């Protein structure tokens, strides 16, 4: 059944072309920067918390299995619910309210961890934070996509991801500083209340200044399709293979410790370096995507397929290079991937498409993470072969998408 378009209609000229909003490119850029700053403070909050949730649960008496179960459940839920909320956003047209509630749930859950006295309470808050992320992402990205006609798809999502990664770099370092000053885990969560408040404040300002982001769309650059095109599914299949073969940083960090490859104090520093790489790469990849399109994803995948042997089979120097390449791959997955989806689906179905894509990608990532964990206990070489093989298998699908686009 067709999805009704309940959003505000775009102002049009008599010939049907949309009129540019007052301010032109500067208006669109300010909106992108505001959303990027929201992402920066948000990631500062929840990535800072994720750096210590594992040991915090352990300090409350949770077993290793419980820690893994809570983390896995939260991640799976955080991806699986995105289609539900993306569809709801497209169906109702309430993109801002859904985005705001999602951020509110996230930003309240993190500081409340400072008050959790038992691991089941902490587990509920951790899973709730992931649920809030699932709620806000599709609607937020659909609003952000309205600025792409003016600024370029790759650049819009690249800028947002660069600011996002800057927050993901800073948050864990803030928490590490609190712990270094003997503040403890609870103090770490409490300090994160400040970026949480800033997240909600900037979000409220963005909503007030841009109540109808659809007005930023000055021209249609894709057909206004009612459904999801076939190329979307091919693209999801290719990126799903990459996600399934992409090792999580916790597994990489575990290997560094188990193999005595990197000294423990330097492992989180390497992660911060990977996030910094992601921030810089997102900007460069965004520009390249606007020139090359999906070819950017193909070339980047060829490069990122090199990280498993560097990280798992090389020495300390190779491991550092491997983590940098791993950060490059994260930039691809969090920026230009969304830019490609924007060009495949009409504005009325973008939140649903973003949610569907994230759900499929997340399920593949979760299944691949389980497989990589099992393989690691058997052989590090098998982990490398599995990871490289799946990323290589994605290349033919991406080439099909490139020819189609």
């Amino acid at each position: 059944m067709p999805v009704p378009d309940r959003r505000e209609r775009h102002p049009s000229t008599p010939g049907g072309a949309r009129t540019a909003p007052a301010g032109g490119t500067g208006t669109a850029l300010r909106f992108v920067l505001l959303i990027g700053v929201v992402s920066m403070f948000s990631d500062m909050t929840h990535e800072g918390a994720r750096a210590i949730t594992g040991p915090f649960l352990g300090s409350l008496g949770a077993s290793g299995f419980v820690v893994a179960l809570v983390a896995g459940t939260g991640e799976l839920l955080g991806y699986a619910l995105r289609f539900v909320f993306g569809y709801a956003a497209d169906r109702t047209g309430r993109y801002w309210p859904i985005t705001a509630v999602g951020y509110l749930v996230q930003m309240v859950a993190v500081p409340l961890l400072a008050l959790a006295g038992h691991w089941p309470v902490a587990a509920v808050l951790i899973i709730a934070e992931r649920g809030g992320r699932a709620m806000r992402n599709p609607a937020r990205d659909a609003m952000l996509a309205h600025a792409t006609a003016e600024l370029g798809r790759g650049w819009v999502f690249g800028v947002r991801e660069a600011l996002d990664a800057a927050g993901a770099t800073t948050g864990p370092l803030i928490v590490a500083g609190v712990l270094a000053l003997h503040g403890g885990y609870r103090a770490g969560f409490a300090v994160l209340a400040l970026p949480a408040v800033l997240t909600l404040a900037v979000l409220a300002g963005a909503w007030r200044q841009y109540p109808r982001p659809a007005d930023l769309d000055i021209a249609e650059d894709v057909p206004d399709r009612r459904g999801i095109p076939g190329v979307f599914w091919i693209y999801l299949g290719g990126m799903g293979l990459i996600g399934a073969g992409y090792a999580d940083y916790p597994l990489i960090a575990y290997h560094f410790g188990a193999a005595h490859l990197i000294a423990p104090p330097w492992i989180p520093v390497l992660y911060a370096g990977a996030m910094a790489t992601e921030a810089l790469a997102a900007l460069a990849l965004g520009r390249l995507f606007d020139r090359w399109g999906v070819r950017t994803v193909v070339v980047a995948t060829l490069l990122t397929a090199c990280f498993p042997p560097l990280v798992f089979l090389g020495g300390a120097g190779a491991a550092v290079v491997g983590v940098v390449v791993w950060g490059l791959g994260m930039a691809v997955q969090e920026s230009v991937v969304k830019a490609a989806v924007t060009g495949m689906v009409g504005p009325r179905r973008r939140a649903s498409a973003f949610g569907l894509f994230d759900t499929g990608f997340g399920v593949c990532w979760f299944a691949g993470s389980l497989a990589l964990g099992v393989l690691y206990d058997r052989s590090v070489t098998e982990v490398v072969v599995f990871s490289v093989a799946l990323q290589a298998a994605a290349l033919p699908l991406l080439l099909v998408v490139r020819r189609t686009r």
Side-chain angles (χ1 to χ4, degrees):
M1 190 172 93
V3 178
D5 184 14
R6 301 180 183 177
R7 297 174 299 173
E8 293 289 334
R9 298 293 180 184
H10 298 280
S12 303
T13 63
R18 291 176 183 170
T19 60
T25 303
T27 300
L29 182 59
R30 282 197 299 273
F31 176 66
V32 172
L33 290 175
L34 278 172
I35 296 298
V37 172
V38 170
S39 294
M40 181 182 69
F41 286 130
S42 170
D43 261 50
M44 199 179 297
T45 305
H46 65 76
E47 290 296 342
R50 277 159 58 83
I52 57 173
T53 50
F56 177 62
L57 285 170
S59 71
L60 296 178
S63 65
F65 173 76
V66 168
V67 172
L69 180 63
V70 170
T73 302
E75 285 302 310
L76 186 59
L77 187 68
Y79 279 105
L81 289 178
R82 294 189 191 192
F83 174 68
V84 175
F85 291 115
Y87 177 80
D90 280 336
R91 183 74 178 178
T92 65
R94 297 181 179 277
Y95 296 94
W96 269 122
I98 291 173
T99 299
V101 171
Y103 273 112
L104 181 63
V105 170
Q106 267 197 299
M107 297 303 103
V108 169
V110 170
L112 283 180
L113 283 167
L115 305 178
H118 305 281
W119 72 256
V121 176
V124 169
L125 291 171
I126 291 168
I127 293 173
E129 183 272 319
R130 295 287 89 184
R133 189 166 184 257
M135 181 182 297
R136 47 91 162 171
N137 269 21
R140 180 205 64 196
D141 290 341
M143 292 192 294
L144 198 61
H146 290 300
T148 61
E150 185 74 29
L151 300 173
R153 300 172 197 152
W155 184 241
V156 165
F157 287 99
V159 168
R160 190 212 65 81
E161 178 54 26
L163 290 167
D164 182 284
T169 303
T170 308
L173 294 178
I174 291 174
V175 171
V178 172
L179 296 180
L181 295 173
H182 307 290
Y185 299 127
R186 296 183 188 279
F189 292 126
V191 166
L192 294 175
L194 177 58
V197 170
L198 291 173
T199 299
L200 299 177
V202 178
L203 182 71
W207 189 353
R208 184 171 57 255
Q209 292 183 51
Y210 297 90
R212 294 190 303 273
D215 289 347
L216 297 171
D217 250 337
I218 62 170
E220 283 289 357
D221 55 352
V222 294
D224 192 10
R225 302 183 180 95
R226 291 285 183 175
I228 304 295
V231 68
F232 173 90
W233 300 105
I234 299 173
Y235 189 56
L236 176 56
M239 294 308 303
L241 286 171
I242 293 174
Y246 220 78
D248 292 306
Y249 192 78
L251 180 63
I252 294 172
Y254 179 85
H255 172 72
F256 289 163
H260 304 290
L261 197 61
I262 304 293
W266 288 100
I267 293 176
V269 174
L270 276 182
Y271 180 70
M275 293 297 97
T277 300
E278 182 181 345
L280 295 173
L283 293 174
L285 289 168
R287 284 300 193 195
L288 288 174
F289 183 88
D290 288 334
R291 288 188 176 188
W292 294 354
V294 177
R295 190 193 316 173
T296 307
V297 184
V298 175
V299 174
T301 300
L302 287 171
L303 292 174
T304 57
C306 300
F307 92 79
L310 291 170
V311 164
F312 290 105
L313 299 180
V320 171
V321 175
V323 169
V324 170
V325 177
W326 181 87
L328 170 66
M330 294 302 295
V332 175
Q333 295 164 25
E334 295 293 339
S335 59
V336 296
V337 164
K338 297 289 180 66
V341 173
T342 298
M344 297 176 185
V345 184
R348 299 177 184 179
R349 296 299 302 273
R350 278 182 184 151
S352 299
F354 286 136
L356 181 60
F357 187 92
D358 284 346
T359 297
F361 183 82
V363 169
C364 291
W365 185 291
F366 181 73
S369 296
L370 293 179
L372 287 166
V374 171
L375 291 174
Y376 186 87
D377 288 338
R378 292 172 46 180
S379 167
V380 174
T381 302
E382 291 183 18
V383 169
V384 173
V385 171
F386 180 83
S387 179
V388 173
L390 286 188
Q391 292 182 70
L395 291 173
L397 295 177
L398 296 178
L399 289 172
V400 170
V401 173
R402 177 175 176 266
R403 287 196 297 269
T404 303
R405 299 303 300 161

